[in-house]
Amino acid sequence: MGAKDVVEALTAAGLPLSNIAEQDENTDPNDKLGRPGQYTSRASADVPGGDKDAEKYGIDRGLVVEVFATAEDADARSTYIQDALKGAQILGTEYHYRPADGRVLVRLTGKVKPSQAKKFEDAVAKL
């Protein structure tokens, strides 16, 4: 399952996603797509509560989905992000959700209300 497939599945589950975009090596804002140990596919979407004026394809707009070759690579990415956010709280927060296979990292901006984030968590658990 690629990142865009995950976003489409979340949309089909009734989650309010808009401006869905799949990134490639030219549009990846992190410049990690396809690099060793990094994600193999990436997609983003706007979510109510996110900042629609934020950087295109960025997490501040709402949602980012990253798919990795291994669960270990996804773990490393999630840990890196969460540690960086804890160390520099001015950067904000993120919710991280993972379906059972562990290779997918669903990142949701911390600007989303917890009640809305719970709906994403439940939908990701069903993937």
Side-chain angles (χ1 to χ4, degrees):
M1 180 178 282
K4 189 169 183 190
D5 298 321
V6 172
V7 173
E8 289 172 353
L10 295 175
T11 301
L15 295 173
L17 302 174
S18 61
N19 295 319
I20 296 167
E22 184 173 25
Q23 283 76 66
D24 61 29
E25 64 184 32
N26 296 313
T27 59
D28 175 17
N30 300 314
D31 202 29
K32 296 186 180 307
L33 183 64
R35 299 195 186 279
Q38 301 301 324
Y39 40 83
T40 58
S41 69
R42 185 183 193 277
S44 60
D46 292 355
V47 174
D51 181 358
K52 292 185 187 271
D53 295 324
E55 177 185 355
K56 190 173 183 178
Y57 312 130
I59 185 64
D60 290 336
R61 294 182 70 97
L63 178 89
V64 170
V65 175
E66 300 168 346
V67 178
F68 296 82
T70 68
E72 292 78 17
D73 290 342
D75 286 338
R77 173 79 168 145
S78 180
T79 299
Y80 170 79
I81 292 168
Q82 294 293 6
D83 286 350
L85 292 174
K86 285 178 189 172
Q89 294 181 358
I90 195 161
L91 297 176
T93 59
E94 291 183 17
Y95 300 95
H96 285 190
Y97 304 120
R98 310 260 302 278
D101 85 347
R103 296 182 320 103
V104 176
L105 174 60
V106 177
R107 300 170 52 203
L108 184 65
T109 181
K111 296 174 184 175
V112 171
K113 292 180 181 179
S115 58
Q116 183 73 356
K118 178 69 173 133
K119 294 175 184 176
F120 280 85
E121 180 180 21
D122 292 345
V124 170
K126 294 175 183 174
L127 293 176

